[in-house]
Amino acid sequence: MPLRASNRRVCHYCDGFCVVAITTGGRHLDGSRVLFRVVCRACQGTGHAAPARIAQAGK
């Protein structure tokens, strides 16, 4: 059974990769890496673009 495609548009700033982990080069005491998690500012970590707003003419 085919899956349906989502109607939501993918964020054009992050291409759907809304959260990335950046290593600092350091390690914790247990040996795991120290990471910073960074979220896309345009979509606020959702990965989807907000609907376009309609411009209204003012008086």
Side-chain angles (χ1 to χ4, degrees):
M1 186 168 180
L3 296 175
R4 291 185 178 210
S6 174
N7 289 343
R8 298 186 73 187
R9 295 179 14 181
V10 175
C11 175
H12 65 277
Y13 288 100
C14 64
D15 287 331
F17 296 97
C18 53
V19 180
V20 296
I22 301 171
T23 182
T24 63
R27 293 192 179 257
H28 293 287
L29 294 175
D30 64 354
S32 61
R33 294 188 183 268
V34 178
L35 299 174
F36 285 123
R37 298 193 191 276
V38 182
V39 177
C40 175
R41 286 193 254 167
C43 65
Q44 301 300 319
T46 63
H48 299 287
R53 297 185 184 196
I54 298 173
Q56 295 179 352
K59 289 185 179 181

